[in-house]
Amino acid sequence: MKRRDFLKKTIMVVAGASVPLSALDLVDPKEVLAANPDIHWAFLIDTHKCVGCGFCVKACKTENDIPFDAKVTRTWVERYVYTKDDRRYVDSPDGALYGYTESRIDLGQGNFKEIDPANVGKAFFVPKLCNHCETPPCTQVCPVGATYKTDDGVVLVDRSWCIGCGYCIMACPYGARFFHPVEKVADKCTFCYHRITKGLETACVNACPFGAREMCNIRDINEPTTKIIMNQRVGVLKDEFGTRPQAFYIGLAQEVR
Amino acid sequence: MLEQAAHLVVHGEAWTVKELFVLPNEYIYWSIQIVMYPFMTGLVAGAFVLSSLYHVFHVEKLKEIAKFSLVFSFSLLPVAMMPLLLHLQQPFRGINVMMTPHFTSAIAAFGIVFTTYACIVATELWFVYRAYFVTTALELKAKANKGAIDTFRQLLFSVLTLGAWDISKEAQQKDHKACTKMAAIGIPVACFLHGYAGFIFGSVKANALWMTPLMPVIFICSAVVSGIALCILYYVVVQEARKFMARRKLARWAKDPSAPTAEQLEGAKKEEVEITSNYLMYFMIAAITLEILDLIFRGYTQVKSWDILREVIMERDFIKIFVLQYGLGNALPFLMMVLPGRNVRRTTIACALVLFGVFMMRWNVVIGGQAFSLSFAGFMHYHLPIIPHDMETFKEGLFGALTVMTTPFVLFYFLNMIFPAFMVDKEDAQH
Ligand code: SF4
Ligand code: SF4
């Protein structure tokens, strides 16, 4: 055996032997995925399918330990009602945690507006969450780098490093961020990173009985959801900020901001 | 967990009232301390610029107020950082900014600019007071039967000389030159320190009110205005107190035969205030012009956000912006200063109003910028917590703001013992 071959083989053996070992206790699936350039997570919301039941909001709060009655939430559902006399009403009481069981619109401060059903032009629900922007202003402004973007396209917050300045909250054009009432650090949707990196669905996707929410790897063009994003007319929120959101919407009305 | 959740108040809920459609996570997150932050930083920068008028541009008549404002600027320095720390949800992690600065963030530069600036002011101060340290240390050394305080002072001043004991004429001239240089470097750094406080806001693209490249410049101009106004105001108050002490021979310095008489103090005060307030007016014109320009520009171009901005500016915050800020805080003091027959009293009142005006400007920018929802369909109102019922409502309430406001005066009291801001040069006294 030539010396070169010997070296080659040795390297192969060592590498081969180390794989199972490291897979056992050294490499964490997150890191493997984060290092894999073939994965980029994206979200798809079909506003035609959403009925405003709020199951997703509940599931998210439970899954991610956001205190149930605290008035902040990682995902929420907005209700839009347009009347025939061209007025627009929007509300999202408690982020739709308890769903929409009432027809009257919540105007805030204990005021409500009942709309005559005959006067309703169109009405629909729009679920919202962090868009995991391609160029996120929230990571740009964080003074300590506690908010960061993983290689597979998910924006996360390092709870042990965030100083709680709130700059990211001000910088997000979507109102996706808030201070966690217990941890006292910036918080927001993580695309259930602890689940998707294990091959599971996010809690909200899982909880939606109507399939209004879906996730996919946008780099895998064979995935059905990716196909929809690629082939159909989908929109994103507040495109004008140049944040390039990764949450896509089917049936987005122009007035939804 | 549910029990605990039942009364969990999220950050901002205690002082935010929402109206119409506001996104569920939206609250007034940047409250009174973030109003205090640019206000206090502005005072630091402004006081320094005032002192530089003498040190760099040699406006000789401002000699006394320049020395005073330099010391005062130094006592304002630590206070520029205080509101930021008080506002953090994790104040003990504040140091992380220095450990892992993230340079795409405007706040991350704070530590660096701030430290640089602090060093410049400290060096300048040292050059101004070095000769004084030496003479005081020598005097104390020569003194027979010293008490504990004197011994301590002797030690302190000896250390402060940093081993440079030479007070020959040449050495002092060198000090003077070095001081001019430091002041010259200090001006751009002071402007930068404050300009980028404006940048912190101006670069937030999600906020329609803040998002303007004019923000840093507007902040610099109003910073200089507020700094000068505060120096005049405080100077007058201190001179009044000194006049009182000189008459009654109350303080130790007043018993010194070479001490200035009440008449001299009054004369000096009049002159300094007169000239300083002229500078104040120039900067006021610049500041107001820029602010109005910004407003007119927004109204004229009428981009998408103008609808909601107009409602906030022209209707909801009308009193705060046009009556309190522009009327009471700008127009009235300006008139008071330009109308004939201006005297020290009128200028002093005008300065107090100017300070109020600048404070209102900070308030209207910081709080006003959060008064409308990102949905452009709802509004938020800020209710300043007055009676604190926990740490948060203390920090982000009236008393938190008052703590920040009073600290520089306390610091000045102590700093003045080391750097006597009203020291009369022996040479000058002989002339
Ligand atoms: S939606 Fe907001 S929080 Fe989410 S990545 Fe974009 S800017 Fe950041
Ligand atoms: S609140 Fe935390 S995550 Fe957000 S910008 Fe400040 S330090 Fe970064």
Side-chain angles (χ1 to χ4, degrees):
Chain A
M1 196 193 281
K2 279 194 192 138
R3 199 176 130 205
R4 230 170 94 188
D5 284 343
F6 171 75
L7 275 178
K8 239 186 188 168
K9 290 220 167 82
T10 320
I11 291 171
M12 269 160 70
V13 169
V14 171
S18 61
V19 167
L21 250 185
S22 58
L24 275 179
D25 53 7
L26 288 175
V27 175
D28 147 9
K30 266 190 224 164
E31 282 172 15
V32 174
L33 283 164
N36 186 344
D38 295 335
I39 295 182
H40 191 98
W41 299 103
F43 210 88
L44 178 67
I45 295 149
D46 189 342
T47 57
H48 297 301
K49 291 183 182 163
C50 178
V51 301
C53 64
F55 286 2
C56 50
V57 184
K58 274 202 197 87
C60 173
K61 281 210 160 187
T62 314
E63 174 72 29
N64 294 299
D65 251 337
I66 309 298
F68 217 67
D69 285 329
K71 300 230 173 286
V72 282
T73 172
R74 286 183 172 197
T75 183
W76 67 99
V77 182
E78 294 168 4
R79 167 168 68 179
Y80 288 76
V81 179
Y82 293 78
T83 57
K84 287 184 181 148
D85 51 5
D86 200 27
R87 308 200 67 132
R88 185 184 71 144
Y89 297 93
V90 197
D91 70 345
S92 182
D94 290 325
L97 178 60
Y98 304 106
Y100 289 93
T101 49
E102 287 195 63
S103 60
R104 49 185 200 162
I105 300 280
D106 184 355
L107 298 179
Q109 293 180 300
N111 300 321
F112 294 90
K113 165 102 186 164
E114 193 67 70
I115 298 173
D116 176 10
N119 190 22
V120 173
K122 61 180 169 186
F124 53 88
F125 298 96
V126 180
K128 286 194 179 169
L129 72 171
C130 165
N131 294 279
H132 296 270
C133 308
E134 191 61 38
T135 46
C138 55
T139 64
Q140 183 188 26
V141 300
C142 177
V144 291
T147 284
Y148 62 100
K149 196 169 168 76
T150 63
D151 290 343
D152 47 353
V154 179
V155 175
L156 299 175
V157 185
D158 182 345
R159 282 187 176 175
S160 67
W161 205 252
C162 166
I163 58 175
C165 62
Y167 204 6
C168 56
I169 304 181
M170 307 310 299
C172 171
Y174 305 95
R177 291 181 165 246
F178 54 89
F179 276 120
H180 193 289
V182 180
E183 308 286 338
K184 307 274 179 218
V185 290
D187 200 274
K188 65 167 195 74
C189 158
T190 57
F191 269 176
C192 281
Y193 203 61
H194 58 291
R195 292 174 59 94
I196 57 172
T197 46
K198 291 195 190 94
L200 300 169
E201 285 176 325
T202 67
C204 57
V205 170
N206 207 3
C208 180
F210 303 95
R213 293 168 173 252
E214 246 153 323
M215 271 207 81
C216 67
N217 168 14
I218 205 166
R219 299 253 162 87
D220 179 359
I221 46 164
N222 295 319
E223 262 192 58
T225 312
T226 310
K227 276 191 184 145
I228 299 178
I229 296 177
M230 293 299 173
N231 304 333
Q232 296 193 17
R233 278 160 287 176
V234 289
V236 292
L237 296 170
K238 299 194 184 190
D239 196 28
E240 68 274 20
F241 287 105
T243 52
R244 291 156 68 200
Q246 298 300 300
F248 300 91
Y249 285 85
I250 298 178
L252 200 58
Q254 179 234 319
E255 297 84 349
V256 176
R257 289 163 177 157
Chain B
M1 197 190 108
L2 271 181
E3 270 165 66
Q4 166 215 24
H7 42 255
L8 250 186
V9 178
V10 301
H11 182 66
E13 204 180 332
W15 51 77
T16 310
V17 175
K18 298 183 176 186
E19 188 188 337
L20 299 173
F21 177 56
V22 176
L23 301 180
N25 294 333
E26 279 187 295
Y27 291 96
I28 306 257
Y29 286 108
W30 280 4
S31 53
I32 183 77
Q33 291 298 355
I34 301 296
V35 177
M36 295 307 293
Y37 162 64
F39 185 64
M40 297 317 277
T41 337
L43 294 177
V44 180
F48 186 82
V49 169
L50 176 59
S51 82
S52 303
L53 285 177
Y54 165 72
H55 289 294
V56 181
F57 303 109
H58 304 294
V59 185
E60 284 297 328
K61 297 212 163 122
L62 291 182
K63 186 169 184 179
E64 188 161 332
I65 201 167
K67 202 180 277 171
F68 158 77
S69 54
L70 184 64
V71 180
F72 194 45
S73 155
F74 197 58
S75 49
L76 277 165
L77 248 180
V79 187
M81 212 158 62
M82 234 169 108
L84 275 187
L85 278 180
L86 284 176
H87 154 80
L88 291 187
Q89 287 285 289
Q90 299 283 353
F92 295 116
R93 292 189 195 158
I95 191 70
N96 290 9
V97 182
M98 299 295 250
M99 277 151 61
T100 47
H102 190 235
F103 288 109
T104 54
S105 165
I107 292 185
F110 183 79
I112 297 153
V113 180
F114 183 81
T115 322
T116 316
Y117 178 70
C119 293
I120 291 175
V121 182
T123 323
E124 190 182 338
L125 259 183
W126 186 76
F127 281 122
V128 173
Y129 283 97
R130 193 186 64 89
Y132 167 78
F133 295 153
V134 175
T135 38
T136 319
L138 290 177
E139 264 168 32
L140 284 166
K141 207 175 196 175
K143 197 170 170 186
N145 51 36
K146 282 174 280 200
I149 296 181
D150 280 339
T151 320
F152 172 73
R153 287 185 71 218
Q154 187 197 331
L155 190 74
L156 177 73
F157 284 111
S158 306
V159 171
L160 280 175
T161 61
L162 300 179
W165 292 87
D166 181 2
I167 46 168
S168 62
K169 219 169 175 102
E170 298 78 58
Q172 289 206 35
Q173 257 162 10
K174 270 191 195 151
D175 282 359
H176 206 71
K177 274 205 190 113
C179 178
T180 310
K181 273 193 201 128
M182 289 325 283
I185 306 171
I187 298 178
V189 181
C191 289
F192 192 68
L193 179 74
H194 199 69
Y196 105 89
F199 188 85
I200 290 181
F201 296 97
S203 61
V204 176
K205 64 179 165 190
N207 192 306
L209 185 79
W210 296 346
M211 173 66 180
T212 160
L214 275 186
M215 201 59 103
V217 200
I218 293 179
F219 266 56
I220 292 174
C221 287
S222 55
V224 179
V225 169
S226 65
I228 298 182
L230 181 65
C231 282
I232 297 182
L233 189 69
Y234 196 36
Y235 181 76
V236 171
V237 172
V238 174
Q239 287 294 54
E240 282 302 318
R242 296 181 80 221
K243 251 165 64 186
F244 181 80
M245 287 194 277
R247 273 202 206 104
R248 314 263 142 109
K249 299 256 178 281
L250 278 175
R252 194 192 318 185
W253 60 264
K255 292 186 190 118
D256 194 318
S258 69
T261 62
E263 287 69 35
Q264 279 169 334
L265 286 173
E266 175 66 32
K269 181 182 81 180
K270 226 170 153 177
E271 200 175 37
E272 306 266 326
V273 168
E274 177 89 8
I275 302 168
T276 319
S277 53
N278 284 338
Y279 285 97
L280 176 62
M281 277 198 297
Y282 304 146
F283 282 108
M284 265 178 90
I285 295 173
I288 301 171
T289 316
L290 282 172
E291 278 170 49
I292 303 274
L293 175 69
D294 179 48
L295 199 64
I296 293 177
F297 196 80
R298 287 165 187 276
Y300 191 78
T301 50
Q302 296 213 352
V303 289
K304 196 165 152 194
S305 55
W306 175 246
D307 266 349
I308 192 117
L309 283 189
R310 196 196 50 78
E311 175 147 6
V312 170
I313 296 171
M314 303 294 180
E315 286 160 36
R316 289 169 188 263
D317 278 358
F318 184 85
I319 297 202
K320 283 191 215 120
I321 295 178
F322 290 99
V323 179
L324 297 181
Q325 181 189 330
Y326 289 125
L328 209 59
N330 288 336
L332 181 64
F334 194 75
L335 277 179
M336 286 171 79
M337 282 193 284
V338 285
L339 288 182
R342 177 174 78 184
N343 56 18
V344 172
R345 181 177 305 161
R346 221 165 77 186
T347 314
T348 318
I349 299 173
C351 284
L353 287 176
V354 167
L355 270 178
F356 171 74
V358 174
F359 180 80
M360 280 317 291
M361 181 252 168
R362 309 293 194 234
W363 178 282
N364 290 332
V365 167
V366 176
I367 306 294
Q370 297 170 82
F372 53 91
S373 163
L374 290 169
S375 67
F376 285 0
F379 299 93
M380 284 184 283
H381 307 280
Y382 175 58
H383 291 276
L384 176 75
I386 300 204
I387 312 284
H389 46 78
D390 57 11
M391 200 50 197
E392 189 162 285
T393 40
F394 169 78
K395 285 196 321 184
E396 314 245 2
L398 180 67
F399 287 96
L402 288 179
T403 313
V404 172
M405 245 183 232
T406 42
T407 312
F409 299 99
V410 178
L411 285 181
F412 180 76
Y413 178 79
F414 290 106
L415 272 180
N416 193 35
M417 292 178 179
I418 303 170
F419 307 100
F422 300 97
M423 172 185 72
V424 183
D425 275 359
K426 290 265 145 64
E427 272 174 54
D428 285 6
Q430 283 155 16
H431 288 314

